[in-house]
Amino acid sequence: MLVAKGTGMHDLMRIALIWRLLAVMILVNLMVCSVGSPAGATAAPVAATATSAVASAATTTPPEPIPQPKVVYGYETGRYGGELTGAVLGDPGTFNPVIAADLTANTILDWVFDGLVEVNALTGEVEPALAASWDISTDGRTWTFHLRRGVVWHDDQPFTAADVLFTLDVIHDHGIPTPPRQLLSVNKMPVKYEAPDDYTIVFHLPEPYAPFLRRLTFKIVPRHLLATAWREGRFMEMWGAHTSTAAVIGTGPFRLVRYEPGQKVELLRHPRYWKTDAAGNRLPYLTKFTLQIVGTLSEERELFQRGLVDYFSIRGSELDDFISGLDPQAYQVLAAGPSPAWLMIVFNQNKRFVPAPQLSWFTNQAFRQAVAHAVNREALIEAAWNGRGTPQWSMFNETNKAFHCAEVRRYPYQPELAGHLLQSAGFYHGEDGRLFDAAGRAVKFTITTNAGHKAKQILGSILVEDLRRLGMDVDLQLVDYREMTEKLLSGRNWDCLIISLAGGDPEPDSTADIWTSGGSMHWWNLGRSPAQAAWEKRLDELFHLGRAATEPAVRKELYDEAQRIVAEELPVIFTANENIYTLLRQGWHNVRPTAWGGPLHQLEVVFYSGSSRTSLPSLPAVPSLPSQSIQSSQ
């Protein structure tokens, strides 16, 4: 499935849907902003060989110079023209980005509208968008954004601070249900805003809050088209799914031009878009972008097999079966990296609910480290995902480019070392091979997870066998999702849980409820506040400091330390993640999929160099794919 460019906002929308939404700040004060590192100068792109009837419709001559373009570096200079075709699950609920709450609508609107900032899915960094640069006061409370000059709406009206103020006013209107509203407050205190001139927006925060920058990826809408409807109480009626597509006006790289319910959505190139390539050519390269509407991933798979869509994202566990009958010359397999989901083991350390024998083991650092060395991650990856997975060692895995720390303690599968760690903590083996603690009590507990989740059940089976080899008396209990949720939320009636999280937001502060004491997701010790152990107190402090630090390098250092603490103390034991891939038809260029941003996070630079679309060879029957997003986690 397609994942849209506005990763930060998009992730937050997916959290509302159960998934998706998606980097750290760059503080710049530049008139021209860039992505990556400069490439050599190149000639203006020529028109691409036709992939459809619209391929030659794009002009190679920009309308006029852009006063403040954003230059996209680090990509191959493309060719104008062509049509890219993908698919989305289901029809959009609306074309109004302020109230859009479904994944399909937000996927489409990510290419029609822009935010003040955007997230680079390759680096995880927050970058300028409609705001060309920004400044932050020394006390971290005043954020001044300098808007990009020369940006125009699709109807050629100028974009100004009035549009930003209007959008903020609408978001703050409690009569309008809008997901971004929760983003524009800090600790439940409102953020104030003003526009001293046509190209400046100033936010006044009640306290320093570094994650605020990522919250500004919400889409800006045009005041000149919607203000009257808002004043008259008709804003909710505007730009519904059955409105004329010509009425939907944004600043993004594509205009919405056609919507056929249950069939497709068509977008055409915006000729006055505000980004250019390294040679100064106006982006995007594509003339047309079409999204076929499907009901299931199986339907999307069939469209790709028939050559009717150009890309298809797939889980590693399903890749080999899917490509087994395809002509390898007709497509390429692009690795997007490991899923941002977490699959982890948690021991209950809550003294209110766990009896003394188990509590003494579960709160023992050496015991948890021994278990971590007993987790056969490679066996898990092979059994659950056909070998297409990646071990995870840190609380922010390698998918989170902006905050991942690779220099943390790792726990490779080493049963012998696990045994030594247990022995150093006073555990010993009886004559019958059973493991006893220093007080002579046999080590016995239950691992619980929810039935119906393949990877969890496989991990549970592997872990039970490996821990039994260490002499532990361990059982695996499978429960339904409701019971699993009750155990998590209450902290009662469990010894050890295998759980998973979707990991939909790369902002570290979004995980503070897990890692700080007293958090509602502090599963290993719910309700423990304030922190008691020195390492827990330091984690609380690091997250507090990271929330206030506005300098990206400082935030990185703080969260690196937090990752090292978690890897050493192991309040949870991370295991592995399934890898994600994109299948792309030959002839397409500048597609660099990531697990956060999907295959088309930089759609503006995608171009085609082939001749014509032909059907792929038919395939033998293969198992149907589940009708859900490839990045969802049950």
Side-chain angles (χ1 to χ4, degrees):
M1 289 302 299
L2 175 71
V3 182
K5 67 163 182 172
T7 313
M9 186 62 214
H10 195 235
D11 278 342
L12 291 165
M13 299 307 307
R14 289 179 57 213
I15 287 172
L17 294 167
I18 303 179
W19 243 89
R20 211 178 295 267
L21 297 195
L22 321 175
V24 71
M25 294 156 285
I26 337 181
L27 305 182
V28 297
N29 191 14
L30 305 175
M31 293 296 286
V32 177
C33 306
S34 61
V35 179
S37 30
T42 55
V46 297
T49 303
T51 64
S52 72
V54 301
S56 60
T59 177
T60 60
T61 305
E64 71 269 335
I66 311 171
Q68 272 187 297
K70 178 171 181 176
V71 183
V72 181
Y73 290 112
Y75 288 89
E76 180 183 358
T77 299
R79 307 167 71 182
Y80 284 121
E83 174 185 3
L84 179 71
T85 302
V88 286
L89 276 175
D91 286 280
T94 182
F95 292 122
N96 188 331
V98 175
I99 62 175
D102 63 275
L103 181 57
T104 295
N106 281 285
T107 296
I108 296 166
L109 298 176
D110 263 350
W111 300 111
V112 179
F113 295 89
D114 298 302
L116 292 177
V117 299
E118 61 187 7
V119 178
N120 184 322
L122 293 176
T123 66
E125 304 283 349
V126 175
E127 296 182 345
L130 292 179
S133 63
W134 55 87
D135 309 302
I136 304 174
S137 63
T138 54
D139 66 359
R141 296 172 184 265
T142 302
W143 297 55
T144 302
F145 289 81
H146 309 286
L147 302 185
R148 192 177 303 278
R149 295 173 183 268
V151 175
V152 297
W153 295 95
H154 294 158
D155 60 1
D156 288 338
Q157 293 299 306
F159 159 77
T160 69
D163 298 303
V164 181
L165 286 181
F166 170 70
T167 303
L168 291 168
D169 287 343
V170 172
I171 289 172
H172 281 86
D173 183 346
H174 286 270
I176 296 174
T178 175
R181 182 160 49 244
Q182 63 179 322
L183 310 180
L184 295 177
S185 64
V186 176
N187 285 340
K188 299 183 179 179
M189 295 180 285
V191 172
K192 298 179 181 180
Y193 48 90
E194 61 178 323
D197 59 55
D198 283 346
Y199 290 97
T200 307
I201 291 289
V202 181
F203 292 95
H204 301 281
L205 279 59
E207 61 186 49
Y209 187 63
F212 179 69
L213 189 64
R214 182 176 298 280
R215 298 185 170 192
L216 301 180
T217 56
F218 60 84
K219 306 306 180 187
I220 305 301
V221 294
R223 179 182 183 276
H224 68 282
L225 295 177
L226 298 175
T228 299
W230 178 58
R231 286 194 300 269
E232 295 176 353
R234 297 184 292 106
F235 187 84
M236 292 289 294
E237 303 170 15
M238 302 300 293
W239 295 354
H242 298 291
T243 193
S244 168
T245 54
V248 181
I249 300 297
T251 56
F254 293 92
R255 296 178 52 223
L256 182 65
V257 295
R258 179 177 297 176
Y259 167 49
E260 298 177 14
Q263 299 297 318
K264 64 182 178 180
V265 175
E266 293 181 351
L267 303 157
L268 282 183
R269 179 180 187 267
H270 174 29
R272 299 185 66 186
Y273 188 50
W274 45 271
K275 288 184 183 179
T276 72
D277 65 14
N281 302 300
R282 182 94 68 151
L283 297 174
Y285 295 132
L286 286 174
T287 296
K288 187 176 181 181
F289 181 36
T290 299
L291 290 167
Q292 302 288 344
I293 297 171
V294 299
T296 67
L297 284 183
S298 294
E299 293 179 39
E300 184 181 0
R301 176 189 66 177
E302 182 181 353
L303 290 177
F304 182 81
Q305 291 168 342
R306 294 169 56 195
L308 299 179
V309 297
D310 295 304
Y311 59 91
F312 179 55
S313 293
I314 191 169
R315 302 181 185 202
S317 58
E318 299 159 343
L319 179 63
D320 292 331
D321 280 343
F322 184 71
I323 66 176
S324 60
L326 294 178
D327 177 4
Q329 301 301 315
Y331 68 92
Q332 51 187 314
V333 178
L334 305 177
S339 163
W342 295 350
L343 180 60
M344 47 195 172
I345 302 161
V346 185
F347 285 101
N348 196 340
Q349 301 181 46
N350 198 312
K351 63 182 179 182
R352 295 177 296 163
F353 307 133
V354 182
Q358 286 89 347
L359 184 65
S360 66
W361 313 329
F362 301 161
T363 55
N364 188 309
Q365 179 190 16
F367 177 88
R368 298 192 301 274
Q369 290 178 339
V371 172
H373 277 298
V375 179
N376 192 335
R377 293 168 178 81
E378 295 303 325
L380 165 66
I381 290 170
E382 185 61 38
W385 307 311
N386 294 330
R388 298 187 182 278
T390 303
Q392 180 175 351
W393 310 110
S394 173
M395 60 202 243
F396 306 133
N397 76 11
E398 63 186 69
T399 302
N400 193 337
K401 301 296 184 183
F403 291 102
H404 171 65
C405 178
E407 290 75 36
V408 299
R409 179 166 177 173
R410 300 188 175 201
Y411 298 86
Y413 180 56
Q414 294 179 318
E416 184 176 345
L417 178 56
H420 289 318
L421 285 167
L422 291 169
Q423 185 178 8
S424 69
F427 293 87
Y428 66 93
H429 287 95
E431 293 181 359
D432 58 359
R434 290 190 299 163
L435 187 69
F436 294 86
D437 64 14
R441 297 168 295 195
V443 176
K444 180 178 181 178
F445 60 91
T446 298
I447 299 172
T448 303
T449 195
N450 56 295
H453 191 292
K454 178 182 176 182
K456 289 182 186 177
Q457 292 183 211
I458 289 174
L459 173 58
S461 298
I462 290 173
L463 184 59
V464 164
E465 292 304 314
D466 285 329
L467 294 182
R468 285 175 178 172
R469 293 189 186 99
L470 290 175
M472 301 183 193
D473 185 356
V474 182
D475 294 316
L476 179 62
Q477 177 189 40
L478 299 179
V479 300
D480 61 30
Y481 186 78
R482 178 190 57 79
E483 184 176 350
M484 185 76 170
T485 302
E486 289 177 354
K487 290 178 182 293
L488 268 177
L489 296 179
S490 69
R492 301 173 184 268
N493 303 317
W494 61 275
D495 299 327
C496 175
L497 293 179
I498 295 176
I499 63 177
S500 64
L501 280 182
D505 189 349
E507 166 55 52
D509 192 65
S510 69
T511 67
D513 210 29
I514 299 173
W515 305 114
T516 57
S517 57
S520 62
M521 300 172 72
H522 199 69
W523 299 296
W524 63 92
N525 203 347
L526 279 177
R528 184 175 180 176
S529 183
Q532 298 179 20
W535 67 270
E536 291 178 300
K537 293 179 181 177
R538 181 56 178 163
L539 266 187
D540 285 358
E541 181 181 14
L542 289 170
F543 271 85
H544 175 74
L545 293 171
R547 184 179 295 117
T550 57
E551 177 59 46
V554 173
R555 297 194 82 210
K556 181 66 165 65
E557 291 177 3
L558 294 170
Y559 291 119
D560 279 359
E561 183 182 347
Q563 290 171 81
R564 288 191 289 268
I565 289 173
V566 169
E568 186 70 30
E569 299 294 339
L570 288 183
V572 304
I573 299 170
F574 295 106
T575 59
N577 309 100
E578 183 174 12
N579 291 341
I580 305 298
Y581 298 86
T582 292
L583 296 176
L584 179 69
R585 289 178 56 80
Q586 295 289 5
W588 290 102
H589 298 257
N590 289 341
V591 177
R592 301 178 187 176
T594 71
W596 289 116
L600 301 180
H601 54 86
Q602 201 70 45
L603 180 60
E604 301 97 320
V605 297
V606 172
F607 71 95
Y608 189 71
S609 66
S611 54
S612 62
R613 177 179 288 118
T614 56
S615 297
L616 297 176
S618 59
L619 286 177
V622 294
S624 296
L625 299 178
S627 56
Q628 60 190 35
S629 167
I630 63 162
Q631 293 182 337
S632 66
S633 181
Q634 297 177 350

